[in-house]
Amino acid sequence: MNNNQMPQNPSGLKEFFLGKQMERNNIAIIAGVVGLIALFLPYATVQVFGFSQSISYVQAGDGPLVMILILIALGAYIMRRNGIGFIASAIGVLVCLIDFMSILEDSYGMASHSIGAYLSLFAVIVMAAAAFIGRGKVLNR
């Protein structure tokens, strides 16, 4: 090999790791889009004396904070900054989990979770976990 030539990668490790990186980013990006949509879906439903009222996560409590955290994590995953994406989505998991648990406590059993609560919590958990997908695997041989 001359000094002018770049060393070749015969085992394909570079392609393997870049492929896993793109897989992680795609999963996190899809979860982020689902999370943003879930913020506008019904989050909780209150039923009292035959009357029912639904509210979205953006209208209730920490919805705008979770939206900002999802947007930060989404931008970080798009720019392939998995550390920043993980930190923002992990904070989002904590906020969503606290809000998810407090719905039943604060309403004295009159409120129930709706589809937006489950989707938003699931989306931020998947975004946080996406930073670790494919870690620990070196080769499939």
Side-chain angles (χ1 to χ4, degrees):
M1 177 166 55
N2 296 344
N3 290 338
N4 297 340
Q5 293 179 340
M6 295 292 291
Q8 297 297 321
N9 190 358
S11 65
L13 287 176
K14 182 177 180 182
E15 289 82 18
F16 176 78
F17 286 117
L18 287 178
K20 288 297 177 183
Q21 178 72 26
M22 285 305 294
E23 181 181 324
R24 277 183 261 164
N25 288 341
N26 290 341
I27 291 171
I29 290 168
I30 291 169
V33 170
V34 169
L36 287 175
I37 293 170
L39 294 175
F40 296 98
L41 294 175
Y43 183 76
T45 303
V46 178
Q47 295 180 349
V48 179
F49 303 120
F51 296 103
S52 177
Q53 179 69 36
S54 293
I55 190 168
S56 69
Y57 198 21
V58 173
Q59 297 170 337
D62 296 325
L65 174 65
V66 174
M67 182 188 302
I68 291 169
L69 289 170
I70 289 175
L71 287 172
I72 290 170
L74 194 59
Y77 280 119
I78 288 172
M79 294 187 308
R80 296 188 180 143
R81 304 284 189 236
N82 289 344
I84 297 169
F86 171 72
I87 291 170
S89 56
I91 294 170
V93 168
L94 291 175
V95 172
C96 278
L97 195 58
I98 290 169
D99 288 344
F100 190 85
M101 300 302 273
S102 69
I103 288 290
L104 298 177
E105 292 175 8
D106 294 344
S107 66
Y108 302 107
M110 291 185 282
S112 62
H113 296 107
S114 294
I115 188 71
Y118 296 110
L119 279 178
S120 61
L121 183 61
F122 179 73
V124 292
I125 289 172
V126 169
M127 284 182 78
F132 300 104
I133 293 174
R135 299 278 175 146
K137 296 179 184 177
V138 177
L139 290 175
N140 290 332
R141 297 178 193 200

